[in-house]
Amino acid sequence: MSFNFSMVGTLSLPKETEKFHPYEERVTEKGWQMKTLRFSARCGDNTHILQVRSGNWADGHGDIFTSKVVDRKYESLRVPFAERDKESWISQVASNRKFVIDLDMPTRREALEKAVEGLKTGKVFTDEELKAMGVKSEEDIPKAYEESKAKRMEYISEYDFIDSLKEIIEGGAYADKLFRITGSAEYSYNEQNQQWYENYVPNKVYLSSAKEPSSTANFKFMFSSDSWDELSRDELNKIFIKGWHREYINTQTRKGQFNVPVSVVVYTKDVKEKKIDLIKKKFDVTGDKVYELSITVDMLNGSQRTKITEEDLTEEERDELECGLLSWSDIYRSHGNAVFGERVKEFRFNKYAENKAPQETAFTVDDMQMPPLEEKEESLFDDDDI
């Protein structure tokens, strides 16, 4: 998968309704158990729903199919489900195939680890250093380090990852804490209505020291000579770049790499024209070939706050401001210094993910369309002839 996201925000469970269930668990007659957890990441003005699913035999038999790294190459690894919590198995699994929750700051743990080694050589720590590590005395350092290590939980199955996430979110102790959530998007395609569907699937959840919430994604954006669209610039202050990103899907009807349509927005309000020209230059290509460029986008999903301007004031307020009967301080006291606009759901261009020129691919625009399903070969004989 090429669509990878990184979010910084608070975690919560969405409100349960008749049609929407944050947590679901069911077992088939044959004993196959499915668990699904859906939770919200509130990243400032934007809220994203993330989903984790687990499928396994309810009685605990069966295997987990994952990967390990041998000589810098990935190899398949088969782990008995009943032994999934054994360190001997967990240590073998490649880091990007693990599911991780960390409830302590990684920087604090690193400092504690170095302090433990320092104690062995007789190092003396200042009050400031002890305070930074969150301990009162040098005697507390070893215990604090062990407690910090215990706050990092690694799993090789979504089954346990779901249980821990659900417990942490429902417990409420971290309700106001910022977490960094990373993962990738999974896609499915509905053949009947020819629609793509997207789920954000997390695999790492860390307590974050970030000062501000955010939600971004990186992916290889594929585009053509017709992708740049300025038709809505004057009306919406937006330029749309219409393209695709290539993703793997595995369904009952299709399996392999396919091209997911995506639209990236270049927001133009209060942006220097030179910046717009430089962005456009990257996407200025000719011919029928498709090009590829790695980009970073801001993931917007919510009403965006913008600094209040004269356009947001009533005609009377503008007149009073012009005549000195009101000041901007008065405006801020009565309205605040920001306003919420309409709800927005879009990928807004942020920057290039790599300092590289667009790369020409082997694809043409015609290749980017979803191919029709291959029809199954019919029998040479009718039933009546057999």
Side-chain angles (χ1 to χ4, degrees), residues 234-245:
D234 292 338
E235 179 185 357
L236 303 176
N237 293 308
K238 294 178 181 181
I239 295 171
F240 294 90
I241 316 174
K242 299 173 182 177
W244 310 265
H245 58 99

Side-chain angles (χ1 to χ4, degrees), residues 66-199:
T66 183
S67 301
K68 61 181 178 179
V69 178
V70 179
D71 295 330
R72 298 184 179 181
K73 295 182 179 180
Y74 286 100
E75 293 185 2
S76 60
L77 180 65
R78 188 169 178 168
V79 180
F81 183 80
E83 299 179 15
R84 66 191 183 281
D85 58 347
K86 291 186 176 181
E87 181 58 31
S88 58
W89 285 116
I90 295 175
S91 61
Q92 293 186 57
V93 175
S95 59
N96 65 338
R97 295 299 305 273
K98 292 179 182 179
F99 303 90
V100 181
I101 300 174
D102 199 330
L103 299 179
D104 199 4
M105 300 294 179
T107 52
R108 176 175 182 260
R109 185 175 303 118
E110 291 172 7
L112 287 168
E113 183 178 16
K114 291 180 180 179
V116 169
E117 294 302 313
L119 289 175
K120 297 177 182 178
T121 61
K123 179 176 172 60
V124 178
F125 296 90
T126 65
D127 291 340
E128 289 77 12
E129 289 174 325
L130 294 174
K131 184 178 180 181
M133 290 184 286
V135 295
K136 294 181 180 179
S137 67
E138 293 179 352
E139 289 76 16
D140 296 329
I141 291 176
K143 181 181 178 181
Y145 177 51
E146 294 301 319
E147 291 174 345
S148 178
K149 288 195 297 181
K151 291 182 178 180
R152 179 182 172 88
M153 296 156 278
E154 296 186 351
Y155 307 107
I156 57 177
S157 168
E158 295 95 331
Y159 182 90
D160 307 292
F161 187 53
I162 287 174
D163 289 345
S164 288
L165 274 176
K166 184 171 180 288
E167 181 179 350
I168 290 165
I169 297 172
E170 287 184 330
Y174 296 89
D176 298 325
K177 301 293 185 182
L178 286 178
F179 284 87
R180 180 173 296 280
I181 313 105
T182 61
S184 58
E186 288 185 354
Y187 295 87
S188 59
Y189 184 73
N190 186 298
E191 302 289 348
Q192 186 173 358
N193 60 22
Q194 299 182 340
Q195 289 289 321
W196 284 94
Y197 294 94
E198 179 182 64
N199 282 317

Side-chain angles (χ1 to χ4, degrees), residues 39 78 83 142 157 179 207 211 221 281 293 318 383:
F39 64 97
R78 188 169 178 168
E83 299 179 15
S157 168
F179 284 87
L207 202 62
K211 302 299 182 183
F221 184 53
K281 187 176 181 180
L293 183 67
R318 287 196 292 269
D383 291 342

